[in-house]
Amino acid sequence: MNTTDTDLNGGPLAQPDIGAEAPDLDSSSERYARRFEGVAGTWLLSRQTEILRQMIAPWPGARVLDVGGGHRQVADALLPRGHPVCVLASCEQALGRVRDLSHPDLQTQIGSLTALPFADRSFDVVTSFRMLAHVADWQQHLSELTRVARHAVILDYPIPGGANLLGPLLFGLKKKVEGDTRRYRTIARRDMHAALDSHGFCDIRETGQFVFPMVLHRTLKRPRISSALERIAQLAGLSDRIGNPVILRAVRRD
């Protein structure tokens, strides 16, 4: 069976670059979802789910806007916990896997990811995963996330250093394991924190997900070994210093 994703005209789905018109299109595809299949993929995604649920815990039942969330990773994590979720996608096709999800507390909307079609403080918590590394203007994207958040924003972003230093060396392996890959930007913590502060958000909490490259864990296909490696790195104090990508939560100052 041919599982190649196609665009709206039936042609092959192009790999988006940084600043693509629909930066959430690739991460919402079935091809992208296959990166999180199998024992290794399930383990990788479970780490994100665990951290997300911990970070949103202070706001039980919070209404969530998930920007660019056609990948369904946030919706799948939060809907069973009683959180109403609205997924905003840049286009109909970017709703991706969310279109296959039926839940009374799930809503979807199409709109710009850098000019969100919602009033100020419309949602209790706003999330954005797989986006800041790929949107054309990450600071504008962040500005909009904070504008519509009543209490907090939760997002992920890659930092320079750590496993990202090995990116050029591991590109061939990554492409072989994942079938395709795309370029992404890294963002320095100081720049992220300064931007959040300028929008009135503080009390920043961050967790680095993986010290070792994700492609290594996918290649190993041994979650127990991967867990042990990451646990050793955590005990050595490396996870929160160089772990990638970083999941961040920031709370509105007032």
Side-chain angles (χ1 to χ4, degrees):
M1 179 178 180
N2 188 347
T3 58
T4 301
D5 296 289
T6 59
D7 62 21
L8 294 174
N9 297 316
L13 187 63
Q15 285 295 293
D17 235 331
I18 299 173
E21 185 176 350
D24 53 338
L25 193 56
D26 180 74
S27 58
S28 66
S29 68
E30 288 299 326
R31 180 187 61 238
Y32 186 87
R34 288 194 290 273
R35 299 182 186 182
F36 298 94
E37 291 179 344
V39 293
T42 299
W43 176 78
L44 287 168
L45 186 56
S46 70
R47 174 68 171 156
Q48 174 183 293
T49 297
E50 177 187 4
I51 296 170
L52 171 60
R53 287 174 171 173
Q54 289 174 354
M55 287 188 169
I56 203 171
W59 303 279
R63 185 170 179 242
V64 176
L65 172 65
D66 184 26
V67 181
H71 45 69
R72 223 174 91 176
Q73 294 175 358
V74 171
D76 281 346
L78 298 185
L79 285 170
R81 295 299 181 96
H83 292 279
V85 176
C86 176
V87 174
L88 175 70
S90 61
C91 62
E92 181 67 29
Q93 192 178 10
L95 284 173
R97 302 183 68 244
V98 165
R99 290 178 294 188
D100 299 326
L101 181 60
S102 177
H103 194 286
D105 288 331
L106 174 67
Q107 296 179 323
T108 60
Q109 186 158 336
I110 306 301
S112 169
L113 304 188
T114 53
L116 306 185
F118 304 105
D120 295 357
R121 308 193 187 195
S122 297
F123 296 85
D124 297 315
V125 177
V126 177
T127 61
S128 175
F129 283 77
R130 313 284 187 261
M131 288 297 99
L132 282 158
H134 301 287
V135 294
D137 187 341
W138 72 266
Q139 293 180 324
Q140 175 61 25
H141 180 71
L142 182 66
S143 174
E144 284 291 279
L145 300 180
T146 58
R147 179 181 66 80
V148 302
R150 181 176 294 113
H151 299 304
V153 294
I154 302 175
L155 52 88
D156 75 345
Y157 71 103
I159 59 173
N164 282 334
L165 290 175
L166 301 176
L169 296 176
L170 294 174
F171 183 83
L173 177 61
K174 188 172 188 288
K175 189 173 182 64
K176 181 178 180 180
V177 171
E178 297 180 350
D180 56 63
T181 188
R182 56 176 175 163
R183 292 192 306 135
Y184 60 91
R185 71 161 57 85
T186 59
I187 304 171
R189 292 182 193 268
R190 63 179 179 277
D191 294 334
M192 175 62 67
H193 295 185
L196 286 164
D197 181 71
S198 71
H199 296 304
F201 279 71
C202 59
D203 191 19
I204 295 173
R205 174 184 171 185
E206 291 183 308
T207 299
Q209 292 185 69
F210 306 105
V211 171
F212 295 90
M214 293 173 70
V215 67
L216 174 63
H217 293 309
R218 288 192 175 100
T219 303
L220 286 173
K221 297 181 181 179
R222 296 290 188 274
R224 289 187 179 181
I225 296 177
S226 292
S227 294
L229 289 173
E230 293 294 341
R231 179 61 176 165
I232 292 171
Q234 184 179 39
L235 292 174
L238 297 176
S239 296
D240 291 337
R241 288 170 49 201
I242 62 174
N244 261 303
V246 171
I247 296 182
L248 174 151
R249 184 191 73 193
V251 180
R252 185 176 288 279
R253 188 173 290 116
D254 55 358

